[in-house]
């Protein structure tokens, strides 16, 4: 298990992650939901209702970001802190060190 939370600084650290471009995955966006469920799930009979939509969303994300450089420039992680409203936002530059 990865520890992504730095309690001392109140930061969530994501990545960096690595993946290779794979334009062939666009094929799955042309398939019907049953086909995606059958071939991309390890347990198609018990997947939650949002499974196929989540897979399609992940594929679109990977196609929009074919390599990790756009999300992790220089191989650096993304850092997030709590906003005043209680959600998460990118940490200001000063907190990134």
């Amino acid at each position: 298990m990865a520890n992504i939370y730095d309690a001392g600084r109140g930061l969530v650290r994501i990545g960096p992650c690595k993946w290779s471009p794979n334009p062939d995955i666009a094929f799955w966006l042309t398939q019907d939901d049953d086909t995606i469920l059958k071939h991309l799930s390890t347990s198609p009979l018990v997947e939650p209702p949002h499974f196929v939509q989540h897979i399609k969303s992940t594929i679109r994300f990977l196609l929009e970001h074919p390599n990790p450089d756009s999300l992790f420039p220089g191989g650096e992680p993304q850092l997030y802190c709590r906003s005043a409203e209680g959600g998460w936002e990118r940490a200001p530059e000063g907190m990134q060190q």
Side-chain angles (χ1 to χ4, degrees), residues 34-48 51:
D34 289 336
T35 300
I36 291 173
L37 190 61
K38 179 180 176 182
H39 294 282
L40 298 182
S41 169
T42 59
S43 50
L45 298 177
V46 295
E47 292 295 358
F51 176 81

Side-chain angles (χ1 to χ4, degrees), residues 13-16 71-78 96:
R13 176 188 172 117
I14 306 296
L71 298 174
F72 303 101
E76 294 296 317
Q78 298 276 347
Q96 304 255 345

Side-chain angles (χ1 to χ4, degrees), residues 20-92:
S20 299
N22 184 353
D24 295 336
I25 63 172
F27 161 82
W28 291 106
L29 296 176
T30 67
Q31 302 304 300
D32 63 52
D33 290 0
D34 289 336
T35 300
I36 291 173
L37 190 61
K38 179 180 176 182
H39 294 282
L40 298 182
S41 169
T42 59
S43 50
L45 298 177
V46 295
E47 292 295 358
H50 66 274
F51 176 81
V52 171
Q53 184 56 40
H54 179 74
I55 291 293
K56 288 179 178 180
S57 175
T58 301
I59 290 170
R60 283 190 293 273
F61 177 88
L62 291 171
L63 291 169
E64 291 168 9
H65 304 279
N67 63 61
D69 297 335
S70 64
L71 298 174
F72 303 101
E76 294 296 317
Q78 298 276 347
L79 298 176
Y80 295 87
C81 61
R82 286 280 186 189
S83 69
E85 295 79 32
W88 293 98
E89 63 187 12
R90 288 290 307 270

